[in-house]
């Protein structure tokens, strides 16, 4: 379910990430490894996440997807094995809040794309998800909150 849609202007956010090109069926394993690896690298460098985990999609979904997974940071990370510094882009974005299981994120992305068109705007090439609610095995997936961001081309 998608709620709270709006167009906003984002400031660039410094991030620490692991980059990858993964098959869609490998996405969960990639995220698990990336978040753990980034958290360890941040700890070694005395840095803290400045917000929740995210997934930043650098290519449209297909057989493989190019992406970055990590955390926004207060300071600049020095490259550490697979972990590199990056950033979430500045500029105008359409955003909305998905409430529910990760299995239904595709429906919310479709709804956000339709909402963008209804505003007379054109979606850009980049999008990202911010995982506001940290999942745990005992939680109800219906309570998960994920913020969706989609760059605008015009």
């Amino acid at each position: 379910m998608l709620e709270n849609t709006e167009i906003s202007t984002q400031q660039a956010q410094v991030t620490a990430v692991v980059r990858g090109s993964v098959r869609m069926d490998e996405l969960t394993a990639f995220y698990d490894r990336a978040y753990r690896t980034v958290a360890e690298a941040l700890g070694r460098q005395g840095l803290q996440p400045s917000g929740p985990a995210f997934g930043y999609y650098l290519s449209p979904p297909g057989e493989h997807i190019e992406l970055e997974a990590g955390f926004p940071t207060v300071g600049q990370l020095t490259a550490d094995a697979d972990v590199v510094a990056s950033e979430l882009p500045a500029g105008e974005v359409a955003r909305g809040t998905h409430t529910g299981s990760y299995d239904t994120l595709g429906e919310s992305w479709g709804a956000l794309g339709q909402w963008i068109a209804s505003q007379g705007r054109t979606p850009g090439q980049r999008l990202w998800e911010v995982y506001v609610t940290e999942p745990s095995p005992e939680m109800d997936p219906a309570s998960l909150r994920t913020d969706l961001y989609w760059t605008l081309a015009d």
Side-chain angles (χ1 to χ4, degrees):
M1 178 175 167
L2 185 68
E3 305 173 299
N4 306 321
T5 51
E6 67 178 358
I7 293 174
S8 66
T9 301
Q10 290 294 119
Q11 301 298 314
Q13 282 187 294
V14 175
T15 62
V17 301
V18 171
R19 291 187 182 126
S21 175
V22 299
R23 292 191 333 248
M24 292 302 282
D25 64 343
E26 298 172 330
L27 204 52
T28 299
F30 173 79
Y31 276 136
D32 290 345
R33 181 182 67 81
Y35 297 140
R36 183 179 58 255
T37 303
V38 171
E40 290 168 356
L42 290 175
R44 283 191 295 275
Q45 295 188 27
L47 296 171
Q48 294 294 317
S50 61
F54 67 88
Y56 179 40
Y57 300 96
L58 306 173
S59 69
E63 186 176 324
H64 283 83
I65 189 162
E66 304 286 330
L67 75 155
E68 296 179 345
F71 298 93
T73 60
V74 174
Q76 185 79 27
L77 174 104
T78 301
D80 185 325
D82 289 343
V83 182
V84 297
S86 189
E87 74 175 23
L88 293 173
E92 252 191 332
V93 299
R95 65 176 302 276
T97 299
H98 168 83
T99 304
S101 168
Y102 296 144
D103 294 340
T104 58
L105 274 168
E107 295 167 25
S108 288
W109 278 116
L112 185 58
Q114 291 174 352
W115 183 84
I116 292 169
S118 76
Q119 304 302 301
R121 303 297 298 268
T122 304
Q125 296 295 312
R126 302 288 171 94
L127 43 100
W128 65 96
E129 299 168 345
V130 176
Y131 307 107
V132 178
T133 308
E134 186 174 342
S136 67
E138 61 278 345
M139 76 180 313
D140 178 2
S143 67
L144 291 170
R145 176 180 159 204
T146 307
D147 289 343
L148 310 181
Y149 295 81
W150 199 331
T151 59
L152 296 173
D154 63 355

